[in-house]
Amino acid sequence: RTGGHQRLRTFCSAGTGNVLMPSSCRLYDLHNTIVPYHQAWDWQHLLVDRAIAAAELAQRDGGNCAAENTVLLMQHAPVYTLGAGSTIDNVLFDEEKSEIPLVRTERGGEVTYHGPGQLVMYPILRLQSPPHQADLHWYMRSLEQVVIDALREVRAPR
């Protein structure tokens, strides 16, 4: 570990087959840290903005994007999140009386609780750059492998 992050070996599909090949990304390993949701959200936006800026610079200069894949691993203080397309009908408590905040996010899905003791992983990847693929099914299979590898790295309790 250096500077609060470490290199994490991940796996990505290569070519058109189902062959997985080693790749790497930067892991910000905060698995023992409770991070307020809005702080983590700000970090994600900052990292995405940096990746977009790197891609735009590379495109202007006629080169390849040098943006690094990144994973944030942490716990949150208690929070409920709502996906972009979710409805408040699926919130089964009175949000006005709740001590736990409810936050609408850009992700898909419905209502999700995050809290201490639950590891949350936020991957920030440039799917258009090899060896990645801009394909939902490929992404979900690869994401599952990244989670398995990350948990192995931090040796999370079972």
Side-chain angles (χ1 to χ4, degrees), residues 6 17 20 24 33 44 58 60 72 76 78-80 89 97 99 106 108-109 115 120 127-128 133 135 137-138 145:
Q6 64 184 9
L20 293 177
S24 68
T33 306
Q44 291 172 69
R60 259 194 323 267
L72 301 170
H76 286 306
V79 64
Y80 289 99
D89 297 340
K97 295 180 182 175
E99 294 181 12
E106 301 102 337
V120 182
L127 295 178
Q128 295 83 1
Q133 299 175 25
D135 173 86
H137 299 288
W138 172 88
Q145 188 63 54

Side-chain angles (χ1 to χ4, degrees), residues 76-95:
H76 286 306
V79 64
Y80 289 99
T81 59
L82 287 168
S86 63
T87 65
I88 204 74
D89 297 340
N90 291 317
V91 176
L92 303 178
F93 60 89
D94 184 345
E95 62 182 294

Side-chain angles (χ1 to χ4, degrees), residues 121 141-153:
M121 180 178 283
R141 286 190 308 271
S142 297
L143 184 58
E144 178 183 46
Q145 188 63 54
V146 168
V147 170
I148 291 167
D149 291 344
L151 291 174
R152 204 175 278 133
E153 286 288 324

Side-chain angles (χ1 to χ4, degrees), residues 7-119:
R7 300 300 286 180
L8 171 67
R9 191 177 81 125
T10 61
F11 289 86
C12 304
S13 285
T16 57
N18 290 324
V19 177
L20 293 177
M21 62 178 272
S23 182
S24 68
C25 66
R26 183 172 300 239
L27 169 65
Y28 290 90
D29 182 4
L30 303 168
H31 75 278
N32 284 325
T33 306
I34 296 175
V35 178
Y37 185 81
H38 283 287
Q39 183 177 3
W41 200 6
D42 288 346
W43 289 345
Q44 291 172 69
H45 283 261
L46 175 67
L47 291 166
V48 167
D49 290 346
R50 285 182 182 171
I52 290 169
E56 289 172 350
L57 180 62
Q59 186 176 19
R60 259 194 323 267
D61 293 345
N64 292 328
C65 177
E68 185 171 49
N69 294 317
T70 305
V71 172
L72 301 170
L73 182 64
M74 66 192 67
Q75 301 176 50
H76 286 306
V79 64
Y80 289 99
T81 59
L82 287 168
S86 63
T87 65
I88 204 74
D89 297 340
N90 291 317
V91 176
L92 303 178
F93 60 89
D94 184 345
E95 62 182 294
E96 305 266 331
K97 295 180 182 175
S98 176
E99 294 181 12
I100 300 174
L102 181 65
V103 179
R104 186 164 296 272
T105 67
E106 301 102 337
R107 67 162 175 79
E110 284 292 336
V111 182
T112 304
Y113 171 79
H114 302 290
Q118 176 194 44
L119 288 179

